[in-house]
Amino acid sequence: MRLLGHNDLQARSGYHPVINEQNGRWIAYVGHHGGKVLNPLTGAVEINGTSILDVTDPRNPRTLAHIPGEDGEGENGGAQMVRVCNGKDLPKGDRARSYLLRTFGISAQEIWDVTVPERPVILTTVEKGLKNTHKNWWECDTGIAYLVSGVRDWRIRRITQVWDLSDPAKPVHIRGFSLPSHEPGSSGPMPPDVHGLVSSVKANRVYLAYGTNRNGVLQIVDREKLLKGPQEPTVANLLYPQVGRLNMPTFSGGHTSLPVLGVAVPEFAKDGLRQTRDFVFLVNEAFRNECVGEVRNMAFVVDVTDDKNPFPVANFQVAEDSGNFCSRGGRFGSHASSENQPSMYAKRVLFFSWFNAGVRAVDIRDPYRPREIGYYIPAVTANTDKRCVKTKDGERCKTEVQTNNVEVDGRGYIYIIDRANTGMHVLELVGDARRVANFK
């Protein structure tokens, strides 16, 4: 993998990027964790929120604007999650406009008009008075959004709030949804809370990941039943749309649940049945610095061809001794996968963020044998923040990159965002790795 461009993101801790083509330009939207630093564009110290960058030239990513977020540190502030839809794709959107859906800290969900990226304008607040907002999903072709939020009366920290945002100016609430024992008025032991999800309108499925790094659950839901079924949060109604469920070990959790469907497995080409299979790439999140008090976190491959009975068939992990990663500083282990699947990468290559092991490019043409074909670990800079662990001799701190999330755009460029304030790096595949992809 080769570095093309870098932007320091004003030394803000980064979480999630989305890259959108609008009006002949490629625009990157980056959600940030809490904190506050100087914005040179305005000359003011601003609470971390959402950075907007022009990446039309990937070698020169330029910051266009920064929208401040909610006051607070780390995951208790900022505006971590971003999704973007163009109005021409939304059923009731203004065809001339582009819309940004973002969290406001942990307390609200907002929609901004970003038609002119240099001048974002608040359009509406979808919902406020929330707790623990996190990893949303927005279907641009239908307008349905799945907003992860903490909602009053539900027992669990986060549930999925389903909204119709087909007209971004007029949000319509559909329902709250989560696992049984989370609903208001329930009692007894609780399964873990939702972290995030990905939907497939074509497959009529929603794939939800619960637990983040322990007691994980992969839940597969019938999308139509979720949207149109009975909405009162009873146990029966919460189970009604469920198609299948995979309970993970107590020491593993679900951070990202990415469906990769309709893969023609080369090894099965001569078989009489099931030459083509469906998969979910189920990614854990590493939590602890320097591997202290934590199991190894990795990406699991789950065969969901029979989605009533999801079944793990493979994994991908990075060898610790390939970079002495447990002793380098910060977190080592998986965090997330790329989610956009443009034609050159679809069913061929996925990218995984791996904290201090950078980003990993993986050949998934045979999902039963995922194979690394490239990686990139950014260099630390003067902005890179330290990460510490407690020892019997006191606190030990090291400075190391923490590649947090990764995404690709429709041109095939790769974007990685650093949690430790190192910024955004724009990359491309080269050599043999590039030939695995399907660039035309």
Side-chain angles (χ1 to χ4, degrees), residues 231-254:
Q231 298 170 10
E232 183 69 21
T234 66
V235 171
N237 292 348
L238 294 176
L239 287 175
Y240 174 70
Q242 179 174 292
V243 175
R245 171 172 167 165
L246 173 68
N247 292 328
M248 302 175 70
T250 57
F251 51 79
S252 294

Side-chain angles (χ1 to χ4, degrees), residues 40-41 50 96 130 142 169 187 233 259 268 282 298 350 364 386 393 400:
L41 297 177
T50 309
L130 302 170
T142 71
S187 61
F268 302 161
L282 183 60
M298 62 187 77
L350 278 180
I364 62 163
K386 64 184 179 180
D393 299 318
E400 188 53 83

Side-chain angles (χ1 to χ4, degrees), residues 30-342:
V30 180
H32 294 290
H33 299 107
K36 57 184 69 173
V37 298
L38 175 70
N39 178 1
L41 297 177
T42 63
V45 172
E46 295 178 354
I47 297 169
N48 292 357
T50 309
S51 289
I52 304 176
L53 302 95
D54 189 320
V55 293
T56 307
D57 178 1
R59 292 168 176 80
N60 182 33
R62 296 184 298 110
T63 301
L64 303 176
H66 172 258
I67 311 171
E70 185 176 39
D71 197 10
E73 294 297 322
E75 295 197 356
N76 292 317
Q80 296 174 65
M81 191 65 209
V82 289
R83 295 292 181 191
V84 179
C85 288
N86 292 325
K88 63 182 178 62
D89 299 321
L90 289 165
K92 301 176 184 177
D94 184 329
R95 294 185 60 82
R97 299 191 177 279
S98 296
Y99 303 97
L100 165 68
L101 168 67
R102 74 165 195 164
T103 59
F104 179 74
I106 58 173
S107 67
Q109 308 278 2
E110 300 177 336
I111 297 178
W112 288 68
D113 184 331
V114 290
T115 307
V116 181
E118 294 86 348
R119 297 190 296 276
V121 178
I122 183 72
L123 181 65
T124 188
T125 297
V126 179
E127 190 174 14
K128 58 184 178 180
L130 302 170
K131 297 180 179 179
N132 296 302
T133 64
H134 206 53
K135 195 171 185 292
N136 300 329
W137 185 260
W138 193 8
E139 301 170 357
C140 293
D141 51 351
T142 71
I144 298 299
Y146 308 86
L147 307 185
V148 173
S149 313
V151 181
R152 187 186 302 274
D153 297 332
W154 287 71
R155 292 182 67 211
I156 198 69
R157 183 177 63 151
R158 293 173 179 148
I159 69 166
T160 301
Q161 290 269 76
V162 186
W163 287 79
D164 182 349
L165 303 183
S166 57
D167 181 348
K170 298 177 181 179
V172 177
H173 184 255
I174 297 176
R175 70 178 300 177
F177 181 77
S178 198
L179 296 173
S181 295
H182 292 169
E183 71 276 8
S186 60
S187 61
M190 288 196 301
D193 59 352
V194 66
H195 181 272
L197 61 141
V198 178
S199 74
S200 171
V201 177
K202 183 177 180 180
N204 187 37
R205 292 290 184 266
V206 181
Y207 304 87
L208 298 102
Y210 298 82
T212 312
N213 84 328
R214 63 186 183 274
N215 299 314
V217 172
L218 168 64
Q219 184 187 36
I220 304 173
V221 167
D222 183 302
R223 180 182 173 277
E224 284 294 308
K225 289 182 177 180
L226 176 66
L227 298 181
K228 299 178 181 178
Q231 298 170 10
E232 183 69 21
T234 66
V235 171
N237 292 348
L238 294 176
L239 287 175
Y240 174 70
Q242 179 174 292
V243 175
R245 171 172 167 165
L246 173 68
N247 292 328
M248 302 175 70
T250 57
F251 51 79
S252 294
H255 177 281
T256 303
S257 50
L258 181 75
V260 180
L261 309 178
V263 180
V265 181
E267 177 62 27
F268 302 161
K270 296 180 181 179
D271 292 358
L273 295 171
R274 297 294 189 188
Q275 301 99 329
T276 299
R277 301 288 181 94
D278 298 333
F279 300 91
V280 168
F281 285 78
L282 183 60
V283 188
N284 304 157
E285 178 181 357
F287 270 15
R288 308 298 179 191
N289 294 333
E290 298 187 33
C291 306
V292 174
E294 190 170 56
V295 303
R296 182 65 52 84
N297 288 275
M298 62 187 77
F300 293 98
V301 187
V302 181
D303 189 322
V304 296
T305 311
D306 174 6
D307 58 7
K308 295 181 179 63
N309 298 290
F311 185 75
V313 294
N315 69 70
F316 171 76
Q317 55 183 308
V318 176
E320 190 278 332
D321 63 4
S322 66
N324 297 316
F325 291 112
C326 281
S327 59
R328 288 179 68 144
R331 303 186 195 185
F332 166 61
S334 56
H335 184 238
S337 69
S338 54
E339 295 172 338
N340 189 27
Q341 299 179 64

